Amino acid sequence: MEKVSWIKVMIAIQGSISPIVDLFIFYKLSNWKFQKKDLVFTIFFVLACFTTSFTAKINDFVVDIFQVICILLFSYFIKRDKRIKSNIGAILFFEMVDLLTTIGVEIISLFFGINVGSVIWTFLILDIATISIIQKYYLKIRKLLNDRNNSIFIGLILYVYLSSSIVYFLALRDCKIVCVRMNDSLNLFL
């Protein structure tokens, strides 16, 4: 019983850290200076993402859409930032990084057969690596989001994000079908 509660704590920690990493990437790429009103938004954003992600029957794609809407509304109405294209590019970039991290953890857990606690540690390690990489390359990425060819870069990010989302969704669906069939086959023998 103690192990189950430790895993729940780890899931809660990871569920809180992931939106913070997303906001970190967004702030770095959008060149916003963190202010007091941003702290209120950050707390709301993390709590809302945490609550939304643990609501029954809601998948990651719905949480991603929720994050996009929250940040766009905050940037436009509260921050009064009129650089919509650049902000959308920054949002798409962190959503793409978040999705690729999730896919990476799924692949690692598939190949190595790791348990839930190890999956959470893997997420945390990848989040730290993501922060380090963004900290090192954010100026180059920001330049790509703001130069005269930014539409091409944003379109490329959108393409990678959508195609990865579709492949991930289809892979999860096929995995669930295979797992259900395997469980049904095992129940016939037992």
Side-chain angles (χ1 to χ4, degrees):
M1 189 65 146
E2 186 176 313
K3 186 175 184 176
V4 172
S5 56
W6 170 247
I7 290 174
K8 287 181 182 178
V9 168
M10 291 298 294
I11 290 172
I13 290 171
Q14 201 283 324
S16 301
I17 289 176
S18 181
I20 292 171
V21 172
D22 294 345
L23 281 178
F24 171 80
I25 294 170
F26 180 76
Y27 273 86
K28 281 295 196 183
L29 298 182
S30 65
N31 197 24
W32 282 2
K33 304 297 181 227
F34 196 82
Q35 300 170 349
K36 287 183 182 180
K37 61 184 170 186
D38 297 336
L39 181 61
V40 173
F41 172 71
T42 301
I43 292 169
F44 165 77
F45 184 78
V46 171
L47 289 175
C49 290
F50 181 80
T51 305
T52 306
S53 66
F54 287 106
T55 303
K57 308 280 187 201
I58 291 184
N59 62 17
D60 286 342
F61 193 68
V62 174
V63 175
D64 293 346
I65 291 171
F66 176 76
Q67 288 179 337
V68 169
I69 292 169
C70 280
I71 291 178
L72 282 177
L73 290 175
F74 178 73
S75 67
Y76 191 75
F77 291 111
I78 306 298
K79 283 286 214 177
R80 305 280 188 215
D81 190 351
K82 304 298 184 207
R83 298 173 302 152
I84 298 294
K85 188 189 281 187
S86 176
N87 289 340
I88 289 174
I91 291 168
L92 285 172
F93 193 85
F94 82 70
E95 291 294 350
M96 181 188 65
V97 168
D98 199 27
L99 177 65
L100 294 177
T101 301
T102 302
I103 291 172
V105 170
E106 291 285 339
I107 290 171
I108 289 169
S109 66
L110 180 67
F111 282 125
F112 297 110
I114 57 179
N115 62 14
V116 175
S118 297
V119 166
I120 294 164
W121 282 110
T122 307
F123 265 117
L124 292 174
I125 290 168
L126 288 176
D127 283 342
I128 291 169
T130 299
I131 289 171
S132 300
I133 291 168
I134 294 299
Q135 185 63 34
K136 184 172 182 175
Y137 295 108
Y138 76 93
L139 290 174
K140 292 179 182 180
I141 299 167
R142 187 187 307 158
K143 183 179 176 191
L144 290 170
L145 288 172
N146 292 313
D147 71 359
R148 65 186 181 116
N149 294 324
N150 64 353
S151 296
I152 296 170
F153 185 63
I154 292 170
L156 181 62
I157 294 170
L158 180 63
Y159 173 76
V160 170
Y161 175 71
L162 289 177
S163 59
S164 299
S165 293
I166 291 168
V167 169
Y168 182 63
F169 172 75
L170 293 174
L172 281 179
R173 188 190 66 161
D174 287 345
C175 180
K176 287 178 183 175
I177 291 170
V178 169
C179 291
V180 167
R181 287 183 183 159
M182 287 176 58
N183 285 338
D184 290 343
S185 298
L186 287 173
N187 289 336
L188 288 175
F189 291 110
L190 296 176

